[in-house]
Amino acid sequence: MNNFIKQTLASLVGSLMGLTIFSGVSTLGFLLILIGVASSQSSAPTVKDKSVLVFDLSMKITDSEPDSGQLLQKTFSGVEENSITLRKVVKTIENAGYDQRIVAIYLDGTNANSAVGYASLKEIRQALEKFRKTGKKIIAYSTDWSEREYYLSSVANQIVVNPMGAMEVNGLSSQPMFLAGAFQKYGVGVQIVRVGKFKGAVEPLILDKLSPENREQTQKLLDDVWGEWRTSVGTSRKILPQKLQAIANSQPILEATAAKSNGLVDTIAYQDQVFTDLKKLTGKNEKDKTFTKISLGDYAEVPEKSLNSDHKIAIVYAEGEIVNGSGDNGQVGGDNFAKIFSKIRQNDQIKAVVLRINSPGGSATAAEIMQREIKLTRQVKPVIVSMGDVAASGGYWIASDSTRIFAQPNTITGSIGVFGVLFNGQKLGNNNGITWDTVKTAQYADQQTISRPKSPQELALYQRSVNNIYNLFLQKVSLGRKLPTAKVAEIAQGRVWSGTAAKQIGLVDEIGGLNVAIEYAAKQAKLGTNWELQEYPQMSSFAERLFGKKLDETKTKLGIETTQTKANNPFINELGKFQQEIKTLQTMNDPQGIYTRLPVNLKIE
C-alpha cells in the first residue's frame, strides 16, 4: 500500500505539472510551491558529537557546480547522481580535521566506480593525509579495490577488504578505439591536415592502431602516472615501489588473503564487522543500529562563517570541450568565457583570478578568443592557472599567458599541436544511389562541400591555415612561458606530457593543486587573510533556490523514488566509449575546421 501511495502521488505530481503547462500556469511557479513545502520543514544538517564522516567513493566529483538545467533534468528523470565539486570535497575534509565533533572518516568503496582523474584524486589524497595528521582515524572498506580507489584509500590508518573480495593491482593502460575501418566500410571519406608528429588526436579516424610516435608518448605518460601511483601508495603502505611493480607483473588480481599477506590491506572482514568497530569509536554499543555518522555531502552543507570581504578571488572553471560560440552544458563556450573574463577584469572587488582548467581542448578559434580576454585581464590583476586532470592542447593554449601555472604530478597537459578533419560522403552517397552536381562562379566556391574529397590545391590551403595557427600557438607559448621558440618547437609537436614532465621542460611552474593556486593568488594580490572566493560561471541565487538541494528534499518528502545506475559490463563500457567518440566529433564546430585537442578521449584505465 505504501508503494502504491508513493507511485500514485508521483503520477499526480507529473499530471499536475502537465496541467499547469496547458492551463497557462507557470511550471516554475508550481515548482516553487513544492519547494516552499519542503523549505518550511528543512534545516541545516546537524553534526552530532563523536560523528564519523562517511565519504562514498562512488560520488561523482567535478570541478564546477552543475547548472540549473542539469539539476532539473536529473531530478525529474528518476536517476539520482550523487555529485559534489572537488573544492567542496577538499574543504569538507579540511573542516572535519578541525571539527572536534568528527572523530574519523570512513571511506566507503562498496559501490565505487569512479571516473575521477588521478590529478583530482591526488588533491583529495593530500587532504586526507592532512586530516590523518590531526590524530584522527581513517578507515577504508571495499569488496573489490581497484587501483583508482585504492590510490586514494591507501592513506587510511586501516584498510579492510571483504573475505570474498579482491584487489586489482595490474598497472595502468590506455586502449583507444579506432574508427578508420568503420568509415571505410560505410564509405565515409576522411582527409587530415595537421602539424606535430605526436598529434594523435586524428589517428582513430585514419589508422587502425597507434602510430610509433603516439605509442611512445602514451607509454611515457602512463609510466609517469603509474610511477607516481607506486611512489604515493608505497610511501603510505611502507611498501617499496619495486615490490608493487612485481605484484602487478605476477598477480594482477589478489584475493583477500594475498592482499593482506602483501601488506596492501590490514584486515579481512565483513562490512557489519567494520560497522561494529565504528560504533565503538563513536561511543555506541552493539545493540545500537548503527554508528553516529554524517555523509560528506551533508557535512559540506553545514554553514560556515562568511567573511563578507570586499576583496574577492575569482575562480573560473573551464571544464569540458572548448567549443566555438556559447557552448552547451559540460562545454567551455569561447564567447561565454570571454564575457566572464571581461566582467572580472572590470570588477574592482576582484583582486586576482584562478583559472581552473579541466579540458582536452577543442576549437582553436574559441581558445584564441578566450586567451585574448585572459591576457587583457592579466594586465590588470594576477591570473593563476590550476590544471586539473587534463589541461592540454586548447586547454594549454588558454593557460599559456598566465601569471603562474600549477599542475599535479599526474595532470595530463601539453599536446601543443593543430589539426583539421575533412569528411566527405561521396562513396557513402554513391553506394546508396545518391550523386551530386555543381555549378559555381569561382574555383573554390564549393570548398565546404561534403560531396567529394578535397583537391590537392584545397588541401594545401587547409594545410597553410593549420601551419599558421600552429606557429601562432608556438609564439604564444614562447612569449607566455618566456621560452625560446626553438625550445617550444622541440617540446611541442602535439606531444602529451604529465605534470611532472611538464614542469621539467618549463610548461608548468609548480606542482600543486587548486588550494595551492588559490593561496598563491592571494599572496600575489597582497590580500593577507582578508578575502573570499567567488566562483564562475555563476549560478544565480534564484536558480540555487529553485533547482538545488531543496528540490531533492521535496522529492524525498513526496516519496518520489530515484534510482542509481552503474554499468560494469565490459561490452556496455565499450559501447559507451564509442558513443563518446561520436559525441566528440559532434562538438567540433570551429568555423575554420581547425582544432587544438588531445588524442581523442585519452583514457587511463
Side-chain angles (χ1 to χ4, degrees):
M1 176 62 73
N2 189 38
N3 286 336
F4 172 77
I5 293 173
K6 288 183 178 182
Q7 291 171 5
T8 303
L9 190 51
S11 298
L12 179 61
V13 170
S15 299
L16 285 173
M17 288 182 66
L19 285 173
T20 56
I21 295 172
F22 287 107
S23 63
V25 179
S26 169
T27 305
L28 295 182
F30 176 72
L31 290 174
L32 284 172
I33 294 172
L34 292 181
I35 292 167
V37 173
S39 299
S40 64
Q41 304 177 46
S42 64
S43 58
T46 301
V47 186
K48 298 178 181 179
D49 287 334
K50 293 187 176 181
S51 289
V52 171
L53 181 65
V54 178
F55 184 179
D56 182 351
L57 299 185
S58 69
M59 294 182 78
K60 181 181 179 182
I61 299 173
T62 59
D63 274 358
S64 56
E65 294 275 7
D67 65 22
S68 57
Q70 288 174 301
L71 285 169
L72 181 65
Q73 182 180 13
K74 290 173 185 174
T75 301
F76 284 101
S77 67
V79 178
E80 182 181 4
E81 187 172 58
N82 199 6
S83 179
I84 191 170
T85 66
L86 174 64
R87 199 173 70 81
K88 273 189 179 180
V89 172
V90 173
K91 182 64 175 174
T92 300
I93 293 172
E94 181 182 321
N95 290 344
Y98 301 129
D99 193 336
Q100 296 302 313
R101 298 168 297 180
I102 301 295
V103 295
I105 289 178
Y106 173 55
L107 302 177
D108 183 4
T110 51
N111 294 308
N113 188 29
S114 174
V116 185
Y118 278 101
S120 294
L121 291 175
K122 177 72 173 179
E123 199 147 348
I124 299 170
R125 197 178 190 281
Q126 290 170 328
L128 290 171
E129 287 176 329
K130 187 176 180 181
F131 175 91
R132 182 172 170 174
K133 287 179 181 178
T134 65
K136 299 180 181 183
K137 288 188 175 182
I138 302 175
I139 297 93
Y141 169 84
S142 181
T143 52
D144 295 285
W145 286 109
S146 72
E147 277 117 334
R148 198 177 295 270
E149 283 76 33
Y150 186 72
Y151 173 71
L152 186 67
S153 303
S154 60
V155 72
N157 301 79
Q158 184 182 17
I159 301 177
V160 186
V161 65
N162 187 285
M164 291 296 292
M167 174 170 288
E168 179 187 77
V169 182
N170 60 352
L172 306 177
S173 67
S174 177
Q175 192 175 42
M177 180 178 288
F178 292 84
L179 308 178
F183 286 152
Q184 184 177 7
K185 176 180 179 180
Y186 291 105
V188 177
V190 183
Q191 294 171 291
I192 299 298
V193 285
R194 63 173 172 172
V195 183
K197 64 180 181 179
F198 290 98
K199 199 61 188 174
V202 299
E203 289 189 359
L205 308 178
I206 57 175
L207 301 178
D208 59 5
K209 63 180 180 180
L210 292 166
S211 67
E213 296 83 4
N214 200 1
R215 182 177 295 278
E216 176 188 341
Q217 70 167 345
T218 303
Q219 185 67 62
K220 179 63 168 67
L221 176 65
L222 290 178
D223 288 344
D224 286 351
V225 176
W226 175 237
E228 204 283 327
W229 189 97
R230 288 182 299 145
T231 299
S232 295
V233 170
T235 301
S236 294
R237 298 299 302 172
K238 296 180 173 58
I239 301 174
L240 290 175
Q242 295 90 329
K243 181 179 178 180
L244 291 171
Q245 184 66 49
I247 291 172
N249 288 336
S250 61
Q251 43 184 342
I253 302 296
L254 294 90
E255 295 179 352
T257 52
K260 184 178 180 183
S261 65
N262 280 282
L264 295 169
V265 302
D266 302 291
T267 308
I268 300 173
Y270 294 99
Q271 191 174 43
D272 63 279
Q273 294 173 307
V274 177
F275 286 177
T276 297
D277 291 341
L278 290 174
K279 287 178 187 177
K280 295 176 183 177
L281 191 61
T282 59
K284 298 287 185 177
N285 57 54
E286 291 189 11
K287 293 182 180 179
D288 290 311
K289 291 183 177 180
T290 186
F291 57 96
T292 309
K293 60 185 176 181
I294 184 170
S295 71
L296 187 140
D298 283 343
Y299 188 67
E301 299 299 322
V302 175
E304 293 186 72
K305 291 182 180 179
S306 177
L307 293 175
N308 292 320
S309 174
D310 289 335
H311 298 156
K312 316 286 185 185
I313 294 177
I315 303 181
V316 182
Y317 296 102
E319 186 173 21
E321 297 269 349
I322 295 177
V323 299
N324 198 51
S326 298
D328 295 325
N329 296 337
Q331 296 178 338
V332 183
D335 291 347
N336 271 356
F337 276 78
K339 290 175 184 176
I340 287 172
F341 271 93
S342 179
K343 290 179 181 178
I344 287 174
R345 186 168 65 253
Q346 299 170 48
N347 188 333
D348 293 335
Q349 284 192 326
I350 296 176
K351 306 300 181 182
V353 185
V354 174
L355 173 59
R356 173 69 172 189
I357 303 173
N358 207 344
S359 172
S363 165
T365 300
E368 172 59 11
I369 289 171
M370 294 170 63
Q371 202 265 352
R372 172 63 180 173
E373 291 295 333
I374 293 168
K375 182 176 182 178
L376 293 174
T377 303
R378 186 191 173 190
Q379 293 173 2
V380 295
K381 57 191 72 175
V383 178
I384 314 302
V385 165
S386 169
M387 293 181 168
D389 296 323
V390 55
S393 218
Y396 192 83
W397 186 306
I398 64 176
S400 60
D401 198 18
S402 55
T403 308
R404 201 157 189 82
I405 298 176
F406 290 82
Q408 291 287 24
N410 34 25
T411 293
I412 299 172
T413 189
S415 191
I416 302 170
V418 183
F419 69 90
V421 182
L422 307 168
F423 290 102
N424 76 83
Q426 184 182 58
K427 186 177 178 182
L428 175 64
N430 293 169
N431 289 344
N432 291 276
I434 300 172
T435 58
W436 291 265
D437 203 351
T438 305
V439 178
K440 56 185 179 181
T441 61
Q443 182 178 354
Y444 299 113
D446 64 337
Q447 182 178 329
Q448 299 299 325
T449 182
I450 63 165
S451 67
R452 60 171 177 78
K454 300 295 180 285
S455 68
Q457 294 83 2
E458 290 169 329
L459 286 175
L461 291 174
Y462 278 107
Q463 187 66 56
R464 186 174 67 188
S465 295
V466 166
N467 291 345
N468 289 339
I469 292 177
Y470 179 67
N471 290 332
L472 177 62
F473 200 166
L474 295 182
Q475 181 184 0
K476 286 182 175 295
V477 175
S478 175
L479 292 174
R481 302 302 304 155
K482 296 179 174 59
L483 293 171
T485 304
K487 173 67 174 176
V488 177
E490 178 187 339
I491 62 180
Q493 299 296 323
R495 180 159 186 167
V496 178
W497 304 93
S498 68
T500 300
K503 184 177 184 300
Q504 293 171 352
I505 59 178
L507 294 179
V508 165
D509 294 300
E510 291 190 39
I511 298 297
L514 180 57
N515 281 345
V516 177
I518 292 171
E519 291 168 5
Y520 184 86
K523 290 179 182 178
Q524 285 291 297
K526 300 177 181 178
L527 298 179
T529 58
N530 180 26
W531 53 271
E532 64 180 0
L533 296 173
Q534 193 161 298
E535 296 181 304
Y536 295 86
Q538 289 181 314
M539 186 191 295
S540 69
S541 58
F542 170 78
E544 288 177 332
R545 290 196 302 271
L546 181 58
F547 299 112
K549 190 176 181 68
K550 296 193 182 302
L551 192 52
D552 292 331
E553 294 173 358
T554 304
K555 290 183 66 181
T556 301
K557 292 179 186 298
L558 291 175
I560 301 175
E561 297 181 354
T562 58
T563 59
Q564 280 187 301
T565 58
K566 177 182 175 182
N568 286 320
N569 186 307
F571 181 69
I572 298 299
N573 290 338
E574 285 302 306
L575 287 178
K577 287 168 66 174
F578 177 74
Q579 290 176 326
Q580 186 60 44
E581 301 295 343
I582 299 302
K583 183 178 178 182
T584 298
L585 294 176
Q586 291 173 333
T587 64
M588 291 183 171
N589 70 341
D590 186 273
Q592 297 184 61
I594 298 175
Y595 304 91
T596 53
R597 197 194 185 281
L598 261 183
V600 176
N601 300 316
L602 174 64
K603 185 177 181 181
I604 297 176
E605 299 173 311

